[in-house]
């Protein structure tokens, strides 16, 4: 694009002021209307094509020339201010031209060597798609956030924080829950909140307003929620405003007495969750004890005894929770941790045996159950499991015996087949020699005649 074309087109002079301050720092002209009603929100991953010019018509950059679309997270400061402002006003398929003053571009520094200091820039941008921010640890798309209004500061609620929220839950077009609520993170289940929403709230800043989209695993799961008439495997949407929060004390902020006191409290809370069948909730509570006390040093003899007792209980209870959740490697890990604290612990040995039995490690499982019976002869459950192990080992041996027998039979059959093939080949060779000898004799007779 030449300078004359730009002046004729009027792009540097025309356009709607889209700056929040209305200071004409970013002017926008729509070249082609987009589709749909939604525009990108803060935190969305947006994908665009663009071309940039100086006011004299010099092109300094173009994704079109590279044939490579450009993606960035909107509103996160990854691009110049003008882009964050302009792209947030676009629809999918829209092409617009923006003119941005230096303070919304590269300012007094410019971007050498192509962009001089205090340069007003012109961009043509086409928006192809946008999608919300994935908040899950595994990036499985189970919790998607779209920020309507950015929050204040950088602090976020942690596990155990006291939060005050205003929210609305939707299933399809139906609002099923609308409340203002003050609760402690980790206790949401008591207030009919899905665990995915609690996880999402921990990513929010004070005064932030966001929309969250929850897949079934992060919502009410396969059980649904009869109270709200939510069927099994339902996808949910929540609009949430985080009005305020008080962070729970982190481990480094607590002294030893506080850690021991809080550990007793969360142990009881975890046990209550376990009794209610809320194993994942219980796991979160027991893990707190481990994180608070595992590396605590400089304890008195009394404090050390209490800390070890709490850690032992936490690992044993974690092992039990993981067994219930069929998470056997974690169960085994926590049993080993418990047995490091008490090598002959009855529950630790028994639960390790159960974890090993569940993953078909029958020999090691038998060893654990035998040790339980040796130290605690009255443990009937261990005796039952020992019988199960021995039965499984016998079955395994029988299976291996048959497998090897079949394997040897196949090898024997193969040898017989090979021998038969060799014999057949030998016979054919003999027959061929006889035929050749016969032909030779006949030739000699004919010659003599």
């Amino acid at each position: 694009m030449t300078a004359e074309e730009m002046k004729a087109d009027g792009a540097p002079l025309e356009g709607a002021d889209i700056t929040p301050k209305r200071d004409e720092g970013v002017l926008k002209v729509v070249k082609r209307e987009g589709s749909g009603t939604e525009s990108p929100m803060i935190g969305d991953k947006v994908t665009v094509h663009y071309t940039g010019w100086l006011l004299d018509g010099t092109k300094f950059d173009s994704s079109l020339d590279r044939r490579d679309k450009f993606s960035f997270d909107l509103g996160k400061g990854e691009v110049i201010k003008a882009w964050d402002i302009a792209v947030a006003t676009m629809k999918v398929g829209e092409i617009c031209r923006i003119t941005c003053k230096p303070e919304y571009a590269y300012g007094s520094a410019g971007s050498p060597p192509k962009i001089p200091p205090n340069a007003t820039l012109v961009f043509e941008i086409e928006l192809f798609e946008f999608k919300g921010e994935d908040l899950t640890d595994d990036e499985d798309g189970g919790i998607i956030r779209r920020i309507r209004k950015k929050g204040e500061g950088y602090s976020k609620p942690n596990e155990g924080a006291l939060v005050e929220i205003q929210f609305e839950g939707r299933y399809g077009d139906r609002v099923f829950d609308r409340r203002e609520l003050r609760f402690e993170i980790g206790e949401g289940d008591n207030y009919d909140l899905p665990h995915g929403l609690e996880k999402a709230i921990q990513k929010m800043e004070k005064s932030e307003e966001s929309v969250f989209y929850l897949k079934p695993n992060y919502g009410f799961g396969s059980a649904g929620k009869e109270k709200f008439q939510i069927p099994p495997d339902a996808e949910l949407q929540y609009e949430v405003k985080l009005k305020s929060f008080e962070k729970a004390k982190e481990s480094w902020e607590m002294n030893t007495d506080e850690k021991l006191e809080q550990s007793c409290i969360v142990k009881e809370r975890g046990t209550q969750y376990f009794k209610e069948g809320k194993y994942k909730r219980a796991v979160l509570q027991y893990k707190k004890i481990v994180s608070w006390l595992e590396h605590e040093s400089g304890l008195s003899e009394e404090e050390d005894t209490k800390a070890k007792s709490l850690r032992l209980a936490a690992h044993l209870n974690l092992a039990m929770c993981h067994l219930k959740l069929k998470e056997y490697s974690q169960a085994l890990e926590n049993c080993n941790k418990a047995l490091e604290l008490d090598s002959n612990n009855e529950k630790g040995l028994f639960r390790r045996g159960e974890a090993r039995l569940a993953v078909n490690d029958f020999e090691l499982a038998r060893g654990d159950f035998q040790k339980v019976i040796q130290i605690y002869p009255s443990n009937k459950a261990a005796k039952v499991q020992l019988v199960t192990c021995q039965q499984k080992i016998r079955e395994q041996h029988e299976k291996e015996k048959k497998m090897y027998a079949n394997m040897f039979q196949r090898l024997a059959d193969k040898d017989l087949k090979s021998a038969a093939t060799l014999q057949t080949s030998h016979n054919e060779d003999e027959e061929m020699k006889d035929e050749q000898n016969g032909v030779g004799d006949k030739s000699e007779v004919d010659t003599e005649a």
Side-chain angles (χ1 to χ4, degrees):
M1 177 177 287
T2 66
E4 290 75 15
E5 287 172 332
M6 290 182 68
K7 289 173 185 175
D9 206 1
L13 306 173
E14 296 178 357
D17 182 0
I18 57 172
T19 58
K21 297 179 181 178
R22 292 291 182 263
D23 59 8
E24 297 188 343
V26 185
L27 302 177
K28 176 186 174 185
V29 176
V30 177
K31 309 296 288 183
R32 184 181 76 190
E33 295 287 348
S35 59
T37 57
E38 287 199 41
S39 295
M41 296 183 192
I42 298 167
D44 285 359
K45 175 79 72 180
V46 299
T47 303
V48 301
H49 258 320
Y50 69 92
T51 302
W53 299 270
L54 303 177
L55 275 184
D56 65 4
T58 302
K59 180 164 63 174
F60 59 82
D61 193 13
S62 176
S63 63
L64 287 162
D65 292 348
R66 294 191 300 273
R67 296 182 180 180
D68 186 18
K69 291 173 184 167
F70 177 63
S71 296
F72 66 98
D73 295 328
L74 189 69
K76 299 288 188 177
E78 295 179 4
V79 292
I80 59 174
K81 290 180 184 178
W83 273 48
D84 274 336
I85 292 169
V87 175
T89 68
M90 298 178 71
K91 308 287 191 299
V92 170
E94 179 181 321
I95 298 176
C96 74
R97 183 174 298 166
I98 61 168
T99 306
C100 39
K101 290 182 178 178
E103 55 268 35
Y104 288 90
Y106 293 98
S108 59
S111 183
K114 293 185 177 181
I115 300 172
N118 298 310
T120 295
L121 305 178
V122 178
F123 289 96
E124 191 163 279
I125 305 172
E126 179 178 2
L127 177 62
F128 287 90
E129 67 172 357
F130 59 85
K131 54 186 178 181
E133 180 184 6
D134 189 343
L135 299 182
T136 59
D137 296 331
D138 299 328
E139 296 186 349
D140 58 16
I143 308 173
I144 299 296
R145 169 172 66 176
R146 304 196 62 215
I147 303 173
R148 290 197 189 280
K149 180 186 171 187
K150 199 174 185 308
E152 303 169 5
Y154 299 98
S155 182
K156 297 175 177 66
N158 57 351
E159 183 73 25
L162 189 62
V163 300
E164 185 178 358
I165 60 171
Q166 180 181 319
F167 73 95
E168 181 177 277
R170 287 180 175 272
Y171 169 60
D173 295 328
R174 177 172 63 88
V175 175
F176 64 85
D177 194 7
R178 183 187 287 123
R179 283 182 280 167
E180 287 195 19
L181 184 64
R182 186 176 171 86
F183 74 103
E184 186 178 304
I185 294 289
E187 298 291 312
D189 198 51
N190 296 334
Y191 299 91
D192 301 308
L193 300 180
H195 73 96
L197 183 60
E198 282 194 277
K199 189 176 182 68
I201 291 169
Q202 291 181 71
K203 303 288 186 179
M204 298 181 75
E205 297 165 350
K206 183 183 176 183
S207 300
E208 178 181 315
E209 297 177 24
S210 288
V211 185
F212 298 105
Y213 301 89
L214 307 184
K215 294 288 187 186
N217 285 348
Y218 295 88
F220 294 121
S222 58
K225 192 74 172 178
E226 187 177 352
K227 178 178 179 178
F228 297 136
Q229 297 180 317
I230 303 296
D233 300 316
E235 296 189 6
L236 308 175
Q237 176 183 327
Y238 281 88
E239 294 203 25
V240 182
K241 177 179 181 180
L242 179 57
K243 300 177 75 173
S244 65
F245 67 90
E246 298 171 20
K247 290 188 77 165
K249 277 189 174 183
E250 301 286 0
S251 179
W252 55 270
E253 296 177 301
M254 292 191 284
N255 61 35
T256 300
D257 287 340
E258 287 176 314
K259 288 177 182 179
L260 291 171
E261 181 184 359
Q262 288 301 309
S263 293
C264 291
I265 292 170
V266 299
K267 177 174 173 284
E268 292 304 315
R269 188 182 296 161
T271 301
Q272 186 59 40
Y273 279 138
F274 183 87
K275 288 177 180 176
E276 294 170 0
K278 299 171 183 176
Y279 305 121
K280 288 186 177 180
R281 295 282 184 188
V283 164
L284 290 174
Q285 302 304 317
Y286 296 134
K287 278 185 174 180
K288 290 180 184 179
I289 300 172
V290 176
S291 68
W292 290 337
L293 300 177
E294 190 170 27
H295 303 295
E296 192 73 359
S297 59
L299 305 179
S300 67
E301 186 177 341
E302 183 182 348
E303 289 170 338
D304 188 55
T305 301
K306 189 173 183 180
K308 281 184 178 176
S309 174
L310 285 164
R311 284 171 57 205
L312 177 62
H315 284 301
L316 290 171
N317 292 340
L318 279 166
M320 193 65 201
C321 288
H322 288 305
L323 284 170
K324 293 287 187 182
L325 293 166
K326 302 187 187 309
E327 297 169 344
Y328 301 118
S329 61
Q330 293 98 314
L332 187 60
E333 181 184 344
N334 278 284
C335 287
N336 287 334
K337 290 278 188 182
L339 292 168
E340 285 175 15
L341 295 166
D342 179 3
S343 60
N344 292 327
N345 185 271
E346 183 176 11
K347 291 178 180 178
L349 290 167
F350 182 82
R351 290 171 190 174
R352 188 171 70 178
E354 287 190 303
R356 285 170 165 170
L357 181 59
V359 296
N360 299 331
D361 206 340
F362 305 128
E363 297 282 357
L364 288 175
R366 179 173 65 179
D368 283 331
F369 294 130
Q370 284 175 334
K371 189 169 183 180
V372 172
I373 294 166
Q374 179 186 346
I375 303 171
Y376 307 98
S378 61
N379 192 315
K380 294 179 181 178
K383 292 175 183 177
V384 171
Q385 292 292 54
L386 180 59
V387 170
T388 301
C389 277
Q390 290 168 335
Q391 177 64 31
K392 292 287 185 183
I393 290 169
R394 281 196 297 272
E395 289 173 3
Q396 191 176 43
H397 287 167
E398 285 298 317
K399 188 176 179 181
E400 289 172 355
K401 188 177 176 182
K402 286 179 182 178
M403 182 182 71
Y404 289 128
N406 290 336
M407 184 176 71
F408 291 137
Q409 185 61 50
R410 284 196 299 272
L411 288 171
D413 292 344
K414 188 176 179 182
D415 289 342
L416 284 172
K417 188 176 179 181
S418 297
T421 303
L422 286 170
Q423 184 61 47
T424 301
S425 177
H426 176 73
N427 292 340
E428 288 174 351
D429 290 344
E430 290 297 322
E431 288 174 6
M432 190 176 291
K433 285 179 183 178
D434 291 343
E435 288 174 3
Q436 287 174 348
N437 290 335
V439 170
D441 292 344
K442 187 174 185 301
S443 300
E444 287 174 9
V445 169
D446 289 344
T447 303
E448 287 174 1

